Amino acid sequence: MSRIVVVTSGKGGVGKTTTSAAFATGLAMRGYKTAVIDFDVGLRNLDLIMGCERRVVYDFVNVINGEASLKQALIRDKRTENLYILPASQTRDKDALTKEGVGQIISDLCADGFDFVVCDSPAGIERGAHMAMYFADDAVVVTNPEVSSVRDSDRILGLLQSKTQKAEQGEIVREHLLITRYSPDRVQAGEMLGMEDILEILAVPLIGVIPESQSVLQASNSGTPVILDKESDAGKAYDDFVRRFLGETVPHRFLEVEKKGFLKRLFG
Amino acid sequence: MSAESVEIKGEMAMLSVLQLASPDAAQIHQGLQARRDSLPALFAGSPLVVDCHLLGSDCGKLDMQQLRASISELGFIPVGIRNLADDCVEQAVKAGWAILRGGRPAVASSRIEKPAPKEANPSGKSIEVIDRPVRSGQQVYFPDGDIVVLQHTSAGSEILAGGSVHVYGSLRGRVLAGIQGDTSARIFCQKLEAELVAIAGNYRLLDDIDTDLKGQPAMVWLEGEKLKIAPMF
């Protein structure tokens, strides 16, 4: 039985694609056959983050339009076994996504024996985001510790419970909150919303907190999902998140201000 | 002389507007009857404005007398007509219609939580209980009675109740109680952080002035024309 997971947020630039790439890689590393689909038609990014931009021949919209088969369009990841990427089309727009077309692809992936299908949602609440969430069983809502991001996530949570197939059938999409770009120093200084404040507003179970980290940008630019960077805090936090998603109990890390030693205080 | 015994004031009033898509009298009667039968309690004796802008030049085919008779017969009160083609105005006046200036059609806001009920309160219930948070952008609409929200409501959400509203979590969105004019409706919440509260059309924005009430369990009610807010404990 495959699980369809949408990674969404409402607001742009909060880390949906970074999260999708890390999440899908993490699932595949644990042996689950995983496909990650880029729903951001027209603003294709996932292939860059996954480092497979030179291997895109056919895309999501080609498959929807019957111009290519799913097998032809799926890109097998070179680093991680069991991981496949379905890139978005760069030359089309979100109107190319039809409910029937998306539904067909997702059910084909399920029939193909995929354990997880990760849907990387575009920003906004329009067609692209709607199609990405429509077939979801689970939703990972990505939020930055910032009021506008929290409000947009709240809006998305409302849509998840009204505009998805699950909602139409009277069922519930499982919600998970992932806070990204969290900086305990700035929370302590009162410049950023704290984790408790975000949870108070959204009232959704927390599945992970990813600390603000230089390594995320480096990983994006080099086309390596940050979860593969086992040394960085962000990579470790993403790994914890995947483990929690799979049902393990893992304590939250990187929530406290790091105590700096004398030398570190001197030299930063 | 008592010139003060009467007074004429310009006021905005809520009126239902009947949009005509066809000049055919039988079709109008049928359509209106179907609408009325779907919500008899709401429409009984309600004043109606007829809007003809969809008809354009077909206005001439409209039987003004018949239209008036049809509307009255179905239990509405014909108030006036608007967006008529100029050459039909005289005929309408003769039939006893008041000519109104064209207004902007109301834009229906999207209702996510509940689509407008097809029948008037089919279940006959008088309380709507919401057991999930009311999220930003969602609207809960229940004109037939009270709304009870067991969780919080978010900033940017809207609750519209014919009766009172109870929120057993933080109240952060807009709340409108007594939307059909019930001045005895009240709003209760565990933590008042609302953007706007209103009872029977009397509203108040919660701004920095009300800081002492923020985050407190509070009740909102109407005294005369004035909206009162007080902590509950």
Side-chain angles (χ1 to χ4, degrees):
Chain A
M1 191 56 198
S2 353
R3 257 165 100 180
I4 320 296
V5 189
V6 61
V7 177
T8 186
S9 74
K11 198 168 164 61
V14 297
K16 287 182 294 299
T17 303
T18 303
T19 299
S20 299
F23 181 42
T25 306
L27 291 169
M29 277 174 0
R30 287 182 167 71
Y32 296 99
K33 193 174 174 191
T34 306
V36 54
I37 308 179
D38 189 353
F39 276 78
D40 207 347
V41 179
L43 294 167
R44 187 173 86 195
N45 278 165
L46 182 69
D47 53 323
L48 289 171
I49 310 283
M50 297 291 297
C52 62
E53 72 274 16
R54 297 186 180 283
R55 298 168 60 207
V56 176
V57 182
Y58 294 109
D59 58 50
F60 193 19
V61 175
N62 289 139
V63 183
I64 288 178
N65 293 343
E67 295 151 4
S69 71
L70 190 54
K71 270 209 168 56
Q72 286 175 303
L74 279 176
I75 302 171
R76 179 200 284 268
D77 192 82
K78 280 189 172 162
R79 286 172 295 246
T80 317
E81 236 183 293
N82 304 315
L83 180 59
Y84 295 82
I85 300 119
L86 184 55
S89 170
Q90 182 72 346
T91 51
R92 307 292 291 272
D93 61 32
K94 314 275 193 286
D95 294 333
L97 299 173
T98 61
K99 203 180 272 182
E100 297 71 33
V102 175
Q104 185 62 48
I105 290 178
I106 287 182
S107 66
D108 286 352
L109 288 169
C110 296
D112 239 6
F114 277 91
D115 297 305
F116 290 98
V117 178
V118 178
C119 302
D120 179 25
S121 171
I125 52 172
E126 286 79 23
R127 185 161 195 88
H130 184 204
M131 285 300 108
M133 71 167 69
Y134 187 76
F135 296 96
D137 301 308
D138 292 74
V140 174
V141 176
V142 183
T143 303
N144 284 174
E146 184 203 333
V147 282
S148 54
S149 173
V150 172
R151 174 171 298 186
D152 291 357
S153 295
D154 195 47
R155 181 86 167 91
I156 282 288
L157 285 162
L159 295 178
L160 282 167
Q161 300 311 346
S162 61
K163 287 210 156 180
T164 51
Q165 195 177 40
K166 276 257 148 76
E168 285 169 10
Q169 293 167 349
E171 293 172 61
I172 283 175
V173 177
R174 276 184 298 267
E175 300 159 337
H176 313 273
L177 180 68
L178 181 72
I179 302 175
T180 54
R181 310 197 66 170
Y182 194 76
S183 160
D185 294 295
R186 300 189 65 189
V187 171
Q188 202 177 48
E191 299 167 357
M192 223 178 223
L193 278 180
M195 187 187 73
E196 287 82 10
D197 298 330
I198 301 173
L199 288 174
E200 146 92 12
I201 295 173
L202 294 178
V204 169
L206 181 73
I207 197 158
V209 179
I210 312 297
E212 171 86 65
S213 162
Q214 300 289 337
S215 54
V216 173
L217 188 63
Q218 281 162 16
S220 296
N221 287 337
S222 65
T224 323
V226 66
I227 197 167
L228 294 174
D229 182 353
K230 302 257 196 280
E231 301 304 310
S232 76
D233 288 356
K236 289 179 204 162
Y238 269 119
D239 200 60
D240 289 356
F241 150 59
V242 175
R243 286 166 62 195
R244 279 187 212 108
F245 187 85
L246 293 170
E248 284 181 52
T249 310
V250 186
H252 289 283
R253 293 194 269 180
F254 315 115
L255 297 177
E256 304 301 327
V257 178
E258 207 180 320
K259 287 198 183 65
K260 286 185 177 167
F262 172 69
L263 281 176
K264 222 172 177 192
R265 251 184 290 168
L266 262 186
F267 301 108
Chain B
M1 291 299 289
S2 61
E4 292 81 27
S5 65
V6 293
E7 208 178 335
I8 291 188
K9 276 183 172 176
E11 254 191 35
M12 306 281 283
M14 284 288 286
L15 289 170
S16 303
V17 175
L18 174 68
Q19 289 276 10
L20 295 186
S22 144
D24 181 64
Q27 274 185 25
I28 294 171
H29 188 90
Q30 223 172 27
L32 188 57
Q33 186 164 25
R35 289 280 161 175
R36 184 203 58 180
D37 291 346
S38 69
L39 285 168
L42 183 63
F43 286 142
S46 68
L48 204 62
V49 171
V50 177
D51 188 304
C52 303
H53 86 275
L54 294 176
L55 291 180
S57 57
D58 276 354
C59 279
K61 296 182 195 157
L62 212 52
D63 184 336
M64 296 292 176
Q65 296 278 7
Q66 177 66 42
L67 181 62
R68 224 180 139 73
S70 253
I71 291 172
S72 307
E73 188 191 319
L74 290 169
F76 294 90
I77 299 160
V79 176
I81 196 159
R82 67 181 193 195
N83 292 328
L84 266 181
D86 289 341
D87 45 337
C88 306
V89 170
E90 197 183 336
Q91 198 202 345
V93 173
K94 258 189 208 159
W97 283 101
I99 308 293
L100 303 178
R101 272 180 301 157
R104 273 174 303 150
V107 179
S109 58
S110 60
R111 297 215 162 107
I112 290 162
E113 190 73 11
K114 282 180 85 69
K118 282 275 176 281
E119 292 165 53
N121 199 9
S123 55
K125 63 178 179 179
S126 61
I127 295 180
E128 173 85 358
V129 180
I130 311 285
D131 56 2
R132 297 191 59 83
V134 183
R135 303 283 183 188
S136 187
Q138 285 185 320
Q139 195 178 46
V140 183
Y141 175 69
F142 188 64
D144 303 309
D146 297 357
I147 294 179
V148 178
V149 181
L150 303 180
Q151 304 220 22
H152 72 268
T153 83
S154 296
S157 67
E158 216 167 58
I159 296 183
L160 302 145
S164 297
V165 177
H166 307 252
V167 180
Y168 290 95
S170 301
L171 170 55
R172 300 202 187 91
R174 293 163 165 249
V175 191
L176 294 88
I179 52 169
Q180 288 176 335
D182 182 357
T183 51
S184 66
R186 293 186 178 212
I187 297 166
F188 308 87
C189 65
Q190 276 296 326
K191 218 172 166 191
L192 181 70
E193 283 166 28
E195 298 168 331
L196 177 147
V197 289
I199 293 171
N202 299 277
Y203 71 90
R204 187 160 154 191
L205 291 164
L206 280 124
D207 221 337
D208 299 332
I209 312 159
D210 309 293
T211 39
D212 53 326
L213 289 163
K214 275 227 172 108
Q216 299 298 315
M219 172 169 75
V220 185
W221 74 101
L222 200 59
E223 254 181 44
E225 296 271 283
K226 209 164 156 42
L227 212 55
K228 298 271 191 181
I229 306 176
M232 267 198 295
F233 305 110

